[in-house]
Amino acid sequence: MIWFVITDEPVDQSPAGKATNLLGGTAQQIEDRLESYKEAGLTMPLLWPPFRDVPTSKTMDDLERLTEEIMPKVNAS
């Protein structure tokens, strides 16, 4: 399971030698990271929004952006 949140500001996503199940950043950063996961063989990641620490309206907006904007581009690549 990969926790994700779409932010307005870019987030440093350098691996720094660590593995993580957190995915945060702009829509473009998330799209780029999901494309790299797909290239590595992860074709069906389980993406999960953080319901506890993020307002429900933000969570629902992020889910909508993920399904309507980001995933179609990732699947097309």
Side-chain angles (χ1 to χ4, degrees):
M1 182 179 330
I2 301 171
W3 298 91
F4 81 96
V5 64
I6 301 173
T7 62
D8 294 330
E9 296 295 320
V11 175
D12 179 19
Q13 293 188 353
S14 60
K18 299 177 186 175
T20 182
N21 67 335
L22 304 175
L23 179 60
T26 63
Q28 183 62 49
Q29 285 182 305
I30 290 177
E31 180 183 334
D32 294 343
R33 183 60 56 144
L34 290 174
E35 286 174 355
S36 68
Y37 288 164
K38 184 178 178 182
E39 290 171 4
L42 182 63
T43 57
M44 200 164 139
L46 176 58
L47 300 172
W48 200 258
F51 286 106
R52 182 175 177 184
D53 300 327
V54 178
T56 303
S57 60
K58 168 85 170 106
T59 299
M60 298 309 290
D61 289 343
D62 285 357
L63 283 170
E64 183 177 4
R65 288 182 71 190
L66 182 73
T67 58
E68 294 180 4
E69 295 174 22
I70 298 171
M71 288 309 291
K73 292 177 186 176
V74 172
N75 290 333
S77 66

